Amino acid sequence: MIHTGERYINPLTDFGFKRIFGTPFNSDLLVSFLNAVLDGERVVEDVEYSNSEKFGSNEDARKAIFDVYCKTADGSRFIVEMQNVYQDFYKDRSIFYSTFPISEQAEKGDWNYELKDVYTIGILNFAFPESKKSGDNGIFREVKLMDINTKEVFYDKLTYIYVELANFHKDIDECKTLIDKWLFCLKNLQNLLERPTELQGRVFEKLFKTAEIAMFKPMELKAYEQSIHAYRDIKNGMDSARREGEAKANMKVARMMKAKGFDVSLISELTGLSEDQIAEL
């Protein structure tokens, strides 16, 4: 069940993300978010939602199911995906998904192969492993096909934008731009009891009304409870895996320190292991 005191949905759940961004009624919320992410690269004025389930060229081919899939008036395609857990082949899947809005543009007969822009936007509730390894705390990655010799963009109609939400740590009073305000909402909406004064305007007023749990119909509430339960299972699994990884690392460090003759109390202080645990190493 939903915890007492939660007024707004968690946007990082499947239900929450699609309720906010995945319905024609809330297309203005999606447009606002897209323009915040694009930051002037282009301006999206309106979107038309498309079927989010895509099939290959035959019945045996792999299909793709997008969280949100839409088109703009000029024919550009946008895939918007929420991903809570890192997967070994996440980048591969992201590239694979982008092939569907490319291939569906093919026209029968005499066609000159001109394509409209395709954007894949991934909202990631984690940081890429290479970000952790390098200590890069950046939030945005924009990827295009590049000429490795000139270091210039070779093809500008295929764009991948990844938002590493795990690296966003601003408080609401630090959020001055539209994208900062959106990221704050995505990460903190479920913990708020009212709309902050910093989040003014028609878009955020509608966002908070859309996200208010008390306004849900019984079937919507049931669907959200199922979604939040799945989200918490995922989060608990991630936390357990992280703790297990940290414990193994601490054991390894403690074993090395003990072999080099460090005092047990110092090893305990630095690794968090008990003296009994260290004695058993």
Side-chain angles (χ1 to χ4, degrees), residues 3-18:
H3 291 317
T4 302
E6 289 185 8
R7 182 176 180 182
Y8 302 108
I9 57 174
N10 185 338
L12 305 184
T13 61
D14 183 66
F15 178 94
F17 192 79
K18 290 177 180 176

Side-chain angles (χ1 to χ4, degrees), residues 3-146:
H3 291 317
T4 302
E6 289 185 8
R7 182 176 180 182
Y8 302 108
I9 57 174
N10 185 338
L12 305 184
T13 61
D14 183 66
F15 178 94
F17 192 79
K18 290 177 180 176
R19 183 177 180 88
I20 292 171
F21 294 123
T23 64
F25 180 74
N26 289 332
S27 63
D28 52 342
L29 300 183
L30 178 61
V31 167
S32 173
F33 178 71
L34 291 177
N35 283 324
V37 171
L38 294 172
D39 192 26
E41 179 178 319
R42 62 172 295 162
V43 176
V44 177
E45 296 182 354
D46 197 7
V47 293
E48 174 188 343
Y49 286 85
S50 301
N51 184 1
S52 60
E53 188 170 8
K54 296 297 177 184
F55 295 87
S57 56
N58 60 69
E59 62 181 14
D60 295 323
R62 182 78 178 185
K63 69 177 181 180
I65 302 177
F66 310 137
D67 287 338
V68 176
Y69 181 48
C70 62
K71 302 176 186 177
T72 59
D74 67 355
S76 298
R77 272 74 166 169
F78 283 83
I79 298 170
V80 186
E81 287 279 302
M82 177 67 228
Q83 182 73 18
N84 275 302
V85 181
Y86 178 76
Q87 298 174 342
D88 287 340
F89 299 103
Y90 171 74
K91 293 178 185 177
D92 299 66
R93 193 187 79 175
S94 183
I95 302 299
F96 173 71
Y97 273 21
S98 70
T99 64
F100 288 85
I102 293 173
S103 61
E104 74 176 16
Q105 296 185 51
E107 299 178 7
K108 294 182 178 180
D110 187 15
W111 176 50
N112 64 2
Y113 292 94
E114 181 183 7
L115 296 172
K116 300 296 184 180
D117 293 352
V118 172
Y119 287 84
T120 297
I121 298 176
I123 313 302
L124 314 180
N125 198 17
F126 57 84
F128 282 116
E130 57 266 35
S131 297
K132 295 180 179 179
K133 186 176 181 180
S134 66
D136 179 7
N137 295 320
I139 299 169
F140 298 95
R141 288 174 179 265
E142 182 170 346
V143 180
K144 293 180 184 283
L145 293 177
M146 181 190 75

